Amino acid sequence: MFSALGHPVRLGVLRLLVRMAPFGARPTEIAAQLSLKQNTLSHYLSELEAVGAIRSERRGRSLYYAPVIERLGAVSDYLVADCCRGRPDLCAAPSEGGPVDVLFVCTSNASRSVMAEAILNDLGQGRFRVVSAGQMPADVVNPLAAQTLEGAGHLAQTRAPKSISGFAASVFDLVLTVCDNAARCEIGIWSGQPVCAHWSIPSPSELGGDVSAYRQTYDALRRKIEALTALPFEHLSPLERQSAVDRIALDIV
């Protein structure tokens, strides 16, 4: 495992798949994101799968690769076996029991992440402090996204989209990407060791781009956020939080 991960490109492939977890990615997507030739990528994928770092699964006509989180966790445990003198509870960041700080991320911060921010702020009833941002923020919030939120009873979204760079020094408990493009991109290491996960929500433009499409996107986000707010999230351990948001990502609630 250490030998396989010692190669920077193989490590880059694995890190991309971890960002796409638990859904995984197709070889064409991986190759395009990392600018790799297909035959070169196939060799790297075979090596990573041989050591148990990733697994492949056929879905319809496509082959998807995803990280084997349990195996990677075992490697991490091996590396830090003596950390905190065998007391992993001492290594975990202490929970203060206050509001859970959440960041939703998408590419432009104009639709999906804005909707998610508004929904969780309202449904969370003060238990969550929520913001959203984008890697390449648009100039304005999409008017149909704002209209959809207002129609569902949320405050009209009038503020401008924000850049993720403005939150580089912020500490979050939970960072959620809500579009595949955002999940594929390296967004750095967050302070405070937040739980990070990916909720793959289709873009409204992929669903037709009309009022109905934005409502479908809103409904998909609301179902996941309702599942999140139903949990005693502020009282869960980091491992329990990670498991919970991954299950929500797969609609296993």
Side-chain angles (χ1 to χ4, degrees), residues 16-26 29-30 55-59 62-67 69 176-180 183-184 197-202 224 245-252:
L16 172 61
L17 292 177
V18 169
R19 293 197 296 275
M20 296 297 292
F23 298 95
R26 294 173 294 180
E29 297 170 333
I30 303 170
R55 62 165 64 97
S56 58
E57 176 187 1
R58 185 163 295 280
R59 303 175 199 163
S62 298
L63 192 65
Y64 284 77
Y65 287 87
I69 298 298
L176 288 166
T177 51
V178 290
C179 78
D180 291 347
R184 293 186 189 108
H198 174 48
W199 289 355
S200 183
I201 306 294
K224 292 185 183 298
V245 292
D246 284 346
R247 288 173 66 84
I248 292 171
L250 296 172
D251 292 320
I252 302 172

Side-chain angles (χ1 to χ4, degrees), residues 149-174:
L149 286 170
E150 193 169 4
H154 305 283
L155 290 176
Q157 299 297 302
T158 57
R159 57 128 181 98
K162 300 184 292 294
S163 172
I164 198 173
S165 63
F167 296 99
S170 300
V171 176
F172 294 102
D173 300 299
L174 178 60

Side-chain angles (χ1 to χ4, degrees), residues 6-215:
H7 190 284
V9 181
R10 283 196 294 267
L11 181 59
V13 170
L14 179 64
R15 294 183 70 184
L16 172 61
L17 292 177
V18 169
R19 293 197 296 275
M20 296 297 292
F23 298 95
R26 294 173 294 180
T28 52
E29 297 170 333
I30 303 170
Q33 183 66 27
L34 300 179
S35 300
L36 293 174
K37 294 180 179 179
Q38 285 289 346
N39 59 343
T40 303
L41 174 62
S42 295
H43 182 64
Y44 291 151
L45 290 172
S46 296
E47 290 181 308
L48 290 170
E49 192 165 20
V51 299
I54 64 174
R55 62 165 64 97
S56 58
E57 176 187 1
R58 185 163 295 280
R59 303 175 199 163
R61 301 179 63 181
S62 298
L63 192 65
Y64 284 77
Y65 287 87
V68 183
I69 298 298
E70 315 81 57
R71 171 77 167 141
L72 297 175
V75 172
S76 176
D77 289 345
Y78 174 79
L79 286 172
V80 297
D82 298 319
C83 180
C84 298
R85 298 187 179 183
R87 289 282 307 281
D89 54 305
L90 298 179
C91 299
S95 174
E96 298 179 358
V100 178
D101 289 299
V102 181
L103 171 67
F104 285 105
V105 181
C106 68
T107 304
S108 63
N109 190 216
S111 296
R112 283 166 284 184
S113 57
V114 171
M115 288 195 226
E117 176 185 357
I119 296 168
L120 183 53
N121 266 325
D122 284 351
L123 297 188
Q125 298 181 332
R127 295 171 52 210
F128 298 85
R129 286 185 298 227
V130 194
V131 292
S132 65
Q135 291 141 323
M136 295 181 289
D139 293 328
V140 296
V141 171
N142 186 291
L144 286 178
Q147 178 184 324
T148 301
L149 286 170
E150 193 169 4
H154 305 283
L155 290 176
Q157 299 297 302
T158 57
R159 57 128 181 98
K162 300 184 292 294
S163 172
I164 198 173
S165 63
F167 296 99
S170 300
V171 176
F172 294 102
D173 300 299
L174 178 60
V175 176
L176 288 166
T177 51
V178 290
C179 78
D180 291 347
N181 285 337
R184 293 186 189 108
C185 295
E186 176 64 66
I187 55 177
I189 298 174
W190 296 99
S191 300
Q193 296 182 316
V195 169
C196 298
H198 174 48
W199 289 355
S200 183
I201 306 294
S203 168
S205 62
E206 297 172 3
L207 301 174
D210 56 8
V211 173
S212 175
Y214 278 83
R215 184 67 202 199

